Amino acid sequence: MKLFEQTGEFKPDSLIAGNEFPIMKEGIGLKAGQGVLKRGSLIMKCADGAGYIAGTVVTVTTGEGENAKTENAEMNVFGILTDDTDTGTKTSADNIPAVCYQTGEYNRAAVIVTGEGAKVETYENDMRKAGIFLRNIQKYE
């Protein structure tokens, strides 16, 4: 056994931008089939109870036959993903358990959204209402 051995490596990612506002965490089931969602992904909760990365368009159909109506599902800011999470490729699988930061201060440049033209700024007001505050920080390497 070596007395001084490096067993791991810590590489800060600058996601957390401060500690003036408390950080709270909560679990959520991410909708399967979204692939690997990275730490820092902004997670939205849909009416179906599942979590989706911000920028994802989820549609719901109400009614049947000629009366059927399809529209975009309402989604609300849930939190920021704490760890990389693989949701797989099968959309029919069960929701994948994950943990999100629900409050706190985060680096604007480290928050991830998806979709064509999607920007973090689009969700910033809703994030603020939920207790998630974005800051611009200097990255040091």
Side-chain angles (χ1 to χ4, degrees):
M1 179 171 133
K2 296 179 184 177
L3 185 57
F4 299 101
E5 177 180 6
Q6 181 173 347
T7 58
E9 183 178 336
F10 173 70
K11 185 176 180 184
D13 61 5
S14 301
L15 175 62
I16 297 174
N19 61 358
E20 292 181 27
F21 196 83
I23 294 176
M24 293 175 45
K25 297 183 284 186
E26 182 70 32
I28 189 170
L30 298 176
K31 181 68 175 171
Q34 298 183 80
V36 176
L37 300 183
K38 295 297 208 179
R39 169 180 161 82
S41 295
L42 178 60
I43 302 300
M44 307 292 286
K45 188 171 184 179
C46 186
D48 67 4
Y52 297 84
I53 186 168
T56 302
V57 177
V58 179
T59 58
V60 291
T61 303
T62 55
E64 295 180 16
E66 293 178 13
N67 296 329
K69 183 178 179 183
T70 301
E71 56 191 11
N72 291 346
E74 183 178 329
M75 300 205 311
N76 297 307
V77 169
F78 183 79
I80 295 175
L81 200 58
T82 62
D83 299 291
D84 292 354
T85 305
D86 187 357
T87 64
T89 57
K90 294 183 180 181
T91 57
S92 61
D94 290 340
N95 289 345
I96 310 301
V99 177
C100 289
Y101 298 118
Q102 288 196 299
T103 61
E105 299 173 77
Y106 301 92
N107 176 4
R108 179 177 278 105
V111 176
I112 302 166
V113 297
T114 190
E116 188 175 322
K119 296 180 181 181
V120 172
E121 291 77 18
T122 305
Y123 304 96
E124 191 164 359
N125 285 337
D126 291 333
M127 292 169 70
R128 194 174 297 125
K129 290 176 188 174
I132 298 172
F133 300 95
L134 301 181
R135 305 285 184 246
N136 294 319
I137 64 167
Q138 174 69 43
K139 186 172 183 177
Y140 296 99
E141 294 189 33

